[in-house]
Amino acid sequence: GAVVSQHPSRVICKSGTSVKIECRSLDFQATTMFWYRQFPKQSLMLMATSNEGSKATYEQGVEKDKFLINHASLTLSTLTVTSAHPEDSSFYICSASTSGSSYNEQFFGPGTRLTVL
Amino acid sequence: GENVEQHPSTLSVQEGDSAVIKCTYSDSASNYFPWYKQELGKRPQLIIDIRSNVGEKKDQRIAVTLNKTAKHFSLHITETQPEDSAVYFCAALDDKIIFGKGTRLHILP
């Protein structure tokens, strides 16, 4: 299957700093990438959908100015958590799809565990 | 919007027995229903999926059934093995994918 990488896998930062997470599709072009947040023992919650070359679509309750998403190419999307606070600590997972919607299989990255002190 | 309910939240079965996880969805326009397995700290892995024009699909020990009229679908794992222990998520898709809350499956020796 298609491979999606995520970097970094783990990050610890101080409160108030910004953290950038990269999501790359390694062997296919991802028209659409999705960003999820997963708190311990909970389900994946969709944060936003990003299409290459256009602004991301954020889910209700997700602050677009806090979670900046850039999808500059068909193989790379980035999520920047700005002015991170302890409540932002979570497991962030991206996924990529080859079509314009997520109808086709989504391929998940390995996730990034963010801990904000 | 779509709402996906998943039951049970925790399931323990004896090794070798079968496990069944059930999900319901609310949006009749949803047309794709994947199941994911997630081991602790790892990414979700697609294990089986079914589209709305099919009622049942089987892949070795795993099967999924879909009842569009009742808007529910189920995952069946037969002859369970220790490596089946994980969290399983159902999902439903219309224009975006919505996950159930997950089922923690324990396979007892």
Side-chain angles (χ1 to χ4, degrees):
Chain A
V3 179
V4 175
S5 71
Q6 228 177 297
H7 179 80
S9 58
R10 197 178 289 268
V11 58
I12 300 172
C13 69
K14 292 182 179 180
S15 185
T17 60
S18 294
V19 175
K20 180 187 279 189
I21 303 170
E22 292 186 349
C23 178
R24 292 181 186 273
S25 57
L26 297 185
D27 52 1
F28 68 101
Q29 293 186 326
T31 310
T32 307
M33 288 186 170
F34 305 87
W35 286 95
Y36 295 87
R37 181 167 53 184
Q38 186 177 33
F39 292 109
K41 298 185 179 181
Q42 294 190 25
S43 188
L44 293 91
M45 299 301 298
L46 180 65
M47 299 175 65
T49 302
S50 78
N51 292 293
E52 183 264 339
S54 61
K55 290 184 178 180
T57 302
Y58 289 81
E59 294 301 303
Q60 193 172 10
V62 178
E63 299 175 57
K64 62 180 181 181
D65 293 332
K66 180 168 181 66
F67 299 99
L68 301 177
I69 291 172
N70 184 280
H71 193 161
S73 76
L74 285 171
T75 59
L76 174 64
S77 177
T78 60
L79 168 68
T80 302
V81 183
T82 62
S83 187
H85 292 285
E87 57 266 30
D88 298 324
S89 298
S90 186
F91 193 50
Y92 291 86
I93 305 177
C94 70
S95 71
S97 172
T98 56
S99 71
S101 74
S102 55
Y103 184 83
N104 290 327
E105 180 181 352
Q106 289 189 48
F107 302 95
F108 285 88
T112 297
R113 187 163 300 284
L114 171 63
T115 303
V116 184
L117 303 175
Chain B
E2 178 63 276
N3 182 47
V4 177
E5 298 284 339
Q6 184 171 347
H7 299 280
S9 57
T10 305
L11 177 61
S12 296
V13 300
Q14 211 70 38
E15 182 179 347
D17 289 350
S18 296
V20 181
I21 302 171
K22 298 181 179 182
C23 287
T24 60
Y25 61 99
S26 60
D27 188 350
S28 56
S30 291
N31 51 21
Y32 175 61
F33 307 92
W35 285 88
Y36 293 89
K37 175 183 179 182
Q38 187 180 29
E39 296 177 6
L40 188 63
K42 296 188 177 180
R43 78 186 85 188
Q45 300 274 13
L46 179 71
I47 55 172
I48 196 166
D49 57 11
I50 192 167
R51 301 191 191 276
S52 58
N53 58 347
V54 176
E56 184 174 356
K57 184 176 177 181
K58 189 173 181 180
D59 182 3
Q60 299 183 336
R61 295 188 298 109
I62 296 173
V64 58
T65 58
L66 171 65
N67 183 327
K68 283 217 72 177
T69 304
K71 294 205 281 285
H72 66 71
F73 55 114
S74 300
L75 177 71
H76 304 252
I77 306 174
T78 58
E79 300 172 24
T80 53
Q81 299 169 4
E83 53 265 36
D84 295 330
S85 294
V87 178
Y88 292 81
F89 293 99
C90 64
L93 171 79
D94 178 14
D95 60 336
K96 60 187 178 186
I97 197 163
I98 304 296
F99 287 87
K101 292 189 185 302
T103 296
R104 188 169 297 277
L105 176 63
H106 299 275
I107 305 302
L108 306 172

